[in-house]
Amino acid sequence: MALRSFLCCLLLCWAAPAMAAADPPPFDLAGPSLSVRVTHGGVTLPVSQAPNLSPGDQLWIKADLPATQSVQYLLVAAFLRGATNPPPSKWFYSAQTWNHTGRNGLNITVPADAQQVIVFLAPHTNGDLKTLIGAVRGRPGAFVRASQDLNQATLDRSRLDAFLSVVRKGNPADPDWLKTVSPLLARSLTIKLNDDCFQKTPDLQAACLMHGPDGLVLNDGHSTSIVETLTSGSPADLALELSAAPQAGYGYYSPYIAAVSDIARIMDSFQTAQYQYIPAIATLHDDKLSLLLNTPPSFHNPLSVIVAALPAVEQSQAPPLQPVDPKEAYCAARSDLVLHLDGAPLVYSTQYAHDIIFRIRNKGGQTIDLPAHADAEKGGLVIDAKGYDATKFGEVIDGSLTGYWGFTQFDGPEYRLQNPHPEPWRLADGDQQALVVGRDDTVHLQGRDAACIESIALQPPSGEAKPLVWKIEAPDRLNVTVPLAEAQPGSISLLIGQYGIKEPSSIPVQTFAQAGHLDNFTFHAGDLSGVLKGRRLDEVVSLSLGGIAFQPNALTSNADGDELSLITTDEAGAETLKAGKTLPVRIALKDGRTLNLKSEIAAFRPSVALIGKSVQPAAPDPASQGGAIAIKLTDPAALAQADRLTFSVRAQRPPRFSTRETIEVAAANGAASTSLSTENGLTFEDAQVAVATLDPAKALGASAFGPLQFRIVVGGVAGEWQPLATLVRLPILRELKCREGAAQPCELTGSKLFLIGAVSSEPSFHAAIAVPEGFPGAAIPTPSPIGRLLYLKLRDDPQAIDRISLPPRKRSPPSATAAQP
């Protein structure tokens, strides 16, 4: 056991760099072809229609070599009977392809105990047949495994080729064709689809989908069961461990990559000085096996022996077909009827399933067989309905699939068809007001036999009808997208076309202007007003909450939407609105429409009354010492940013504090806020009075300014905002310098002068000098003061007229560093 573990680790360590360095060589080198036919029970099929062989089957195998073939190939067919039971010599059949008899091929019978068939094409030498017999009889298990892997690779390659052939075909006339058809292909063939490819431009999507094709094939239970994998013995365990190693960008190996890697290792183990065995996988078409090689043949020692596999000798395993949606109904009147099918990708990628029919019965009980064939691009079986006459069938038709899997008949799933019905369609309940102009909108239609809808078009009041995008939601319900981005409110029609009915039916529809989008309506018990949130709330004319009327009061808008305050004068009615009740809300719009919400009455909002407030000036800043000019704020509500504000409040609702309350202070513009608690500036004098202290520079930051507001918060419920103060940031003023002469302008120096809006020598600001926004300089011109006063308007409180008291004038030339506003 220890030795085996050591050997496994050693081989894995050796194999990992090799696998990381390069993928297995691709099978892209065209080799020779074989013609193969199988006769079973008197019926002959080409090999492309024979998924398995049975004991007693007659095989005809012929090498299709050109007339100019210069190398003489020996064609050998060998039957195998398991990994531990070497086949007898009489199970080996050969034909010399270079003479007349050999060119006619081999006619052989599958022995009773055979399990696999291997075909060799070996360059002719003395003892070539004996050498092949010795190699197979000496290591039968390796050739059993090779047969299984070659068959698995052939089946998986068929799925890959089917996928790539459709992707390469493309449809230049429709840029979205590949995005539409690829999911159907991937579902039908069990192919991994890279959704990121559809984010690329249409001309790059196909190349992206075909990138790393060998890793696209996903595991398919049906083909795996057809090709039984050898799993006994330590060499097989080791091979399985290696084949599960992460590779390239595809996670774990797909079955195709695993089989190719396994084949390469098995074939390499047989190389001798005289022969090397190179694998060939086959593409099947009719009776042709076109061989693909991944190694160029050598005609010098060691000579290359081509190894191919025929289908295994085993019981027939019918495809596990099933409808994609068992509840889906189909329209019998469609000329392009496709029954969606899933469960067996080999039905799409090979000819193993053949002579498929869809069997239905008419009203007279007669059986009608409609031919069918698989189409991976359409995601199902395409039904040839030429023999169908709708007049001989009822409204609902049940049918079933049947066909042949190789030589064995199989029964597939059942499907339900519908005949079209002339009954008109209508707008679904609740969608009469659903279409709004200015955008693409959706409406639902109600009717019968949705599967028989062929087209839906928009007919405007004038002009041509335009086709619409629609989908089936249920057998009696359609979802229709109506583009109204450029439309005007008014009447339009939807034209409904049905398969089998010549004239479309018309549905009149009314379109409306954009209505307000409603998010919610918030109302607190004890209030007379509430707040409606949403968009386009300017269209609201009234609101009713539980029968109590509200009228619009104030509308505010921001990037997140609108907020509309609505107020009621029905005080008695408002008192009946108790917290916790959920009531209907009905909103009336200007165009006559009504919209509905539900709202739960919120709890009473707490409230307090402002008792008083005081401002404690900040200590002088040492950095501003040395002649700084003080600014006198004249607005009683003004609060300098560096000062400290103390204010007191009295409890109103509830009438007593619990000491767990907080007071929230915020700038009215929403730019900054802070919360005061017992741990941060809030002190409760008693159960009814609280005193709060605010240091705005620390609590709100250096950029906060303008009106401040506060509210009490109790248990997460906030009261109404109340005005508190106006926060003002102050410039630092150093010195006023004036030229000789009373009429000459002066110069005021300092820092943060951009906080000044204008400066004047008189309170009327008749001859004021404005300071530009964002002024970066250290000096501004000012009028010559009258006496020792100058007047300022600060940007943070532009309605107030503040003043500065100046020291005695210094008259001197203007500063060389002054910036002119």
Side-chain angles (χ1 to χ4, degrees):
M1 183 66 183
L3 178 60
R4 178 180 180 275
S5 299
F6 170 75
L7 291 175
C8 289
C9 293
L10 182 63
L11 185 52
L12 284 170
C13 292
W14 168 83
M19 288 188 292
D23 295 339
F27 283 85
D28 56 3
L29 182 63
S33 296
L34 300 175
S35 292
V36 182
R37 290 196 287 268
V38 183
T39 300
H40 176 88
V43 178
T44 299
L45 292 178
V47 68
S48 62
Q49 293 184 358
N52 65 284
L53 304 176
S54 299
D57 285 353
Q58 300 294 315
L59 298 181
W60 174 72
I61 307 172
K62 177 179 175 292
D64 295 326
L65 300 175
T68 57
Q69 178 69 35
S70 59
V71 174
Q72 296 178 342
Y73 270 109
L74 182 69
L75 172 66
V76 179
F79 292 97
L80 307 173
R81 56 185 180 186
T84 60
N85 193 3
S89 298
K90 65 180 182 180
W91 282 13
F92 291 80
Y93 302 87
S94 65
Q96 297 176 342
T97 62
W98 59 90
N99 62 37
H100 176 72
T101 303
R103 281 196 293 270
N104 291 331
L106 295 170
N107 286 283
I108 56 180
T109 302
V110 179
D113 296 326
Q115 297 178 11
Q116 293 87 21
V117 189
I118 290 283
V119 177
F120 300 92
L121 281 173
H124 174 56
T125 63
N126 291 329
D128 43 16
L129 179 59
K130 184 178 180 180
T131 301
L132 290 175
I133 293 175
V136 174
R137 285 176 51 80
R139 294 179 62 183
F143 285 95
V144 169
R145 183 60 177 265
S147 170
Q148 293 165 337
D149 284 341
L150 286 171
N151 273 311
Q152 182 72 63
T154 294
L155 298 179
D156 291 337
R157 177 65 179 252
S158 72
R159 293 155 55 198
L160 180 62
D161 287 344
F163 176 78
L164 296 180
S165 65
V166 176
V167 172
R168 290 192 184 103
K169 178 179 67 176
N171 186 354
D174 183 3
D176 294 328
W177 172 83
L178 191 58
K179 188 174 182 179
T180 301
V181 77
S182 290
L184 292 176
L185 276 175
R187 185 192 71 198
S188 301
L189 298 167
T190 317
I191 292 290
K192 181 173 66 176
L193 199 62
N194 184 359
D195 292 333
D196 292 340
C197 293
F198 300 119
Q199 305 302 318
K200 301 179 182 292
T201 57
D203 57 322
L204 298 178
Q205 290 175 2
C208 175
L209 288 173
M210 294 187 292
H211 176 70
D214 290 354
L216 299 177
V217 182
L218 299 178
N219 186 53
D220 164 46
H222 185 222
S223 61
T224 301
S225 67
I226 293 175
V227 184
E228 192 78 28
T229 302
L230 181 67
T231 57
S232 61
S234 58
D237 293 339
L238 179 58
L240 290 174
E241 290 173 20
L242 288 175
S243 66
Q247 185 267 349
Y250 308 108
Y252 288 92
Y253 278 134
S254 79
Y256 180 67
I257 295 176
V260 169
S261 302
D262 228 9
I263 293 167
R265 286 191 294 275
I266 294 170
M267 295 295 102
D268 285 346
S269 69
F270 277 93
Q271 182 167 333
T272 66
Q274 186 177 5
Y275 288 114
Q276 64 173 345
Y277 294 84
I278 62 175
I281 64 174
T283 58
L284 308 176
H285 184 71
D286 294 335
D287 64 355
K288 296 295 184 185
L289 283 176
S290 299
L291 303 183
L292 295 174
L293 313 178
N294 71 343
T295 303
S298 170
F299 301 103
H300 298 286
N301 287 338
L303 300 173
S304 295
V305 178
I306 299 174
V307 184
L310 295 186
V313 183
E314 62 179 1
Q315 291 292 324
S316 177
Q317 300 184 44
L321 301 178
Q322 56 190 15
V324 174
D325 181 1
K327 297 181 180 180
E328 184 177 4
Y330 298 83
C331 186
R334 294 190 63 158
S335 60
D336 58 346
L337 177 60
V338 177
L339 303 180
H340 297 145
L341 192 67
D342 201 359
L346 296 182
V347 170
Y348 295 102
S349 65
T350 70
Q351 299 173 16
Y352 291 158
H354 58 94
D355 295 322
I356 305 173
I357 59 172
F358 182 59
R359 181 165 292 164
I360 55 179
R361 291 183 182 274
N362 60 22
K363 289 186 289 187
Q366 295 174 311
T367 297
I368 307 296
D369 290 342
L370 303 178
H373 68 275
D375 190 326
E377 183 178 339
K378 295 180 179 179
L381 294 180
V382 179
I383 305 300
D384 183 354
K386 293 179 182 177
Y388 174 75
D389 183 357
T391 61
K392 297 182 179 180
F393 292 84
E395 293 184 6
V396 177
I397 308 163
D398 291 323
S400 61
L401 290 171
T402 186
Y404 282 89
W405 183 255
F407 294 98
T408 305
Q409 187 174 6
F410 72 89
D411 293 324
E414 297 182 349
Y415 290 86
R416 171 160 289 187
L417 307 186
Q418 295 175 340
N419 266 327
H421 197 279
E423 180 179 330
W425 286 72
R426 60 179 178 82
L427 282 175
D429 295 339
D431 275 12
Q432 284 76 13
Q433 300 179 1
L435 292 181
V436 176
V437 299
R439 67 189 184 194
D440 291 352
D441 220 332
T442 300
V443 70
H444 298 88
L445 303 182
Q446 203 79 28
R448 292 180 56 183
D449 306 331
C452 287
I453 298 299
E454 180 178 11
S455 65
I456 302 178
L458 168 64
Q459 178 63 66
S462 61
E464 296 182 355
K466 301 176 182 179
L468 300 180
V469 176
W470 56 278
K471 63 181 180 180
I472 298 175
E473 286 190 346
D476 61 349
R477 187 176 176 88
L478 301 174
N479 179 303
V480 185
T481 300
V482 185
L484 298 173
E486 306 297 330
Q488 298 297 320
S491 297
I492 60 172
S493 296
L494 298 181
L495 304 181
I496 313 299
Q498 298 188 64
Y499 292 104
I501 298 179
K502 292 183 178 180
E503 295 298 326
S505 59
S506 178
I507 304 176
V509 178
Q510 184 73 23
T511 62
F512 297 89
Q514 174 69 50
H517 170 73
L518 307 178
D519 292 331
N520 56 71
F521 179 64
T522 303
F523 180 84
H524 289 268
D527 287 357
L528 293 176
S529 64
V531 175
L532 179 65
K533 293 184 178 180
R535 293 186 182 276
R536 293 298 308 269
L537 300 187
D538 56 312
E539 296 290 324
V540 175
V541 295
S542 66
L543 179 147
S544 171
L545 172 63
I548 298 173
F550 287 75
Q551 300 300 319
N553 182 26
L555 176 67
T556 59
S557 301
N558 55 44
D560 295 328
D562 298 343
E563 289 191 7
L564 177 63
S565 172
L566 297 107
I567 191 167
T568 181
T569 57
D570 186 355
E571 296 185 13
E575 291 182 359
T576 66
L577 301 177
K578 304 300 182 182
K581 283 187 177 180
T582 298
L583 299 174
V585 180
R586 189 176 179 87
I587 299 98
L589 305 182
K590 292 179 180 178
D591 61 5
R593 281 176 291 173
T594 57
L595 303 176
N596 297 291
L597 288 174
K598 285 187 178 295
S599 178
E600 181 179 346
I601 307 300
F604 280 95
R605 288 197 290 184
S607 63
V608 294
L610 183 64
I611 299 174
K613 58 182 179 180
S614 65
V615 175
Q616 295 80 44
D621 185 357
S624 65
Q625 294 300 305
I629 303 173
I631 300 174
K632 176 64 175 177
L633 300 178
T634 59
D635 183 356
L639 171 65
Q641 187 184 56
D643 293 347
R644 177 177 296 176
L645 174 67
T646 299
F647 61 100
S648 56
V649 295
R650 183 184 303 279
Q652 287 190 322
R653 190 172 61 200
R656 301 174 67 84
F657 291 125
S658 68
T659 72
R660 291 189 295 271
E661 294 83 357
T662 60
I663 292 180
E664 187 178 355
V665 179
N669 60 11
S673 66
T674 187
S675 183
L676 306 178
S677 66
T678 54
E679 299 177 353
N680 178 29
L682 183 62
T683 303
F684 290 93
E685 176 184 302
D686 52 34
Q688 293 181 312
V689 176
V691 179
T693 301
L694 175 68
D695 188 338
K698 293 181 180 179
L700 300 176
S703 294
F705 66 92
L708 297 181
Q709 54 191 3
F710 78 98
R711 63 182 178 183
I712 189 75
V713 180
V714 180
V717 179
E720 290 193 62
W721 288 109
Q722 300 183 54
L724 179 62
T726 301
L727 185 61
V728 180
R729 297 167 296 176
L730 300 179
I732 298 175
L733 307 180
R734 299 290 186 188
E735 185 178 13
L736 183 71
K737 299 178 181 179
C738 298
R739 296 183 182 183
E740 293 295 334
Q744 295 297 319
C746 300
E747 183 181 81
L748 183 62
T749 63
S751 59
K752 298 183 180 180
L753 300 180
F754 58 84
L755 295 174
I756 301 175
V759 59
S760 175
S761 60
E762 52 187 355
S764 65
F765 274 72
H766 177 68
I769 295 177
V771 179
E773 292 182 349
F775 179 69
I780 58 173
T782 70
S784 182
I786 299 173
R788 296 174 59 185
L789 291 178
L790 276 180
Y791 299 91
L792 305 177
K793 286 188 177 181
L794 299 175
R795 295 192 187 278
D796 293 350
D797 192 8
Q799 303 304 317
I801 299 176
D802 303 312
R803 61 178 182 269
I804 57 176
S805 297
L806 301 168
R809 295 188 187 183
K810 292 184 179 180
R811 298 194 177 272
S812 61
S815 170
T817 62
Q820 296 298 320

